[in-house]
Amino acid sequence: MSKAFVREGESDDAGDDLPERPVSPHPNFVTAAGLAAIDAELARLHAEAARLDPERDALVAARVARDLRYWTARRASAQVVDAPRPGGTVQFGSRVTIERADGRRQAFRIVGEDEADPSAGSISWVSPMGAALLRREEGDVVRVAGGEVEIVAVE
C-alpha cells in the first residue's frame, strides 16, 4: 500500500518521533530508597514490555522501550549516598525545616533528582532550594528565589 493512503500515526514507525528522556548531566546521587525505586520501575517496565504485542501496541512499546533505556542508564549511573550523620549540617538525605519571612514553616528531605517530589516533601539536591541548603547549618539564613529562609532544624 502506498504511504499516501496511510493516516498519520498508523505507520510502522509509530514510536520514531518519541523523544528520548533527557539524562541529567549531574552525578546521579540516590538514597537507598531511591535505588529501590529505580529497581522497582525497571521491574515494572520489563513486565509491561513482556505483556505487549509490539505490532499491535507500537506506540506503547516505543514508550516502554524509551523508559527502559532511561531507567537502565539511571540505574547504571546511580551512586548510593549513605544516610546523613546526625548533626546540624545539611547533607544529602537530610530532612530540613525552614522558616520563611512570613512565618510559614516547610520541611524538605534532600534527595536525588529522580526521587524528588516537592508535593510529598522531597526536593532534588540540584534544585535551587536544595543546592542553597546543602552544607548550611541550623540558624543559617539562606537566600533563594529572591527571598530569605532560615534553617530551623536539620534531621
Side-chain angles (χ1 to χ4, degrees):
M1 175 189 298
S2 167
K3 289 275 187 186
F5 296 104
V6 177
R7 282 185 287 172
E8 198 171 325
E10 286 186 359
S11 73
D12 292 338
D13 305 323
D16 286 354
D17 293 334
L18 192 63
E20 288 298 314
R21 292 182 64 173
V23 175
S24 172
H26 302 287
N28 187 16
F29 297 137
V30 297
T31 64
L35 185 64
I38 291 172
D39 288 339
E41 183 63 6
L42 280 168
R44 187 192 70 74
L45 288 165
H46 281 294
E48 186 175 354
R51 287 190 304 269
L52 287 172
D53 176 355
E55 302 255 338
R56 195 182 62 177
D57 302 318
L59 192 54
V60 175
R63 180 194 51 80
V64 169
R66 178 209 52 196
D67 289 352
L68 274 169
R69 287 188 300 275
Y70 175 82
W71 288 110
T72 299
R74 296 302 279 172
R75 178 63 172 91
S77 66
Q79 299 175 47
V80 179
V81 176
D82 292 332
R85 294 178 308 276
T89 302
V90 179
Q91 304 165 52
F92 185 92
S94 292
R95 182 172 172 77
V96 183
T97 303
I98 61 167
E99 185 172 321
R100 296 185 180 273
D102 63 5
R104 287 182 302 139
R105 286 189 176 209
Q106 291 179 286
F108 300 105
R109 185 159 180 247
I110 299 179
V111 297
E113 292 177 275
D114 294 315
E115 298 175 77
D117 182 357
S119 66
S122 59
I123 58 173
S124 167
W125 69 281
V126 298
S127 69
M129 178 71 78
L133 294 173
L134 281 174
R135 295 175 298 284
R136 300 299 183 110
E137 297 181 357
E138 288 181 22
D140 284 353
V141 175
V142 179
R143 188 159 185 78
V144 178
E148 290 185 341
V149 300
E150 180 183 352
I151 300 172
V152 294
V154 179
E155 301 169 32

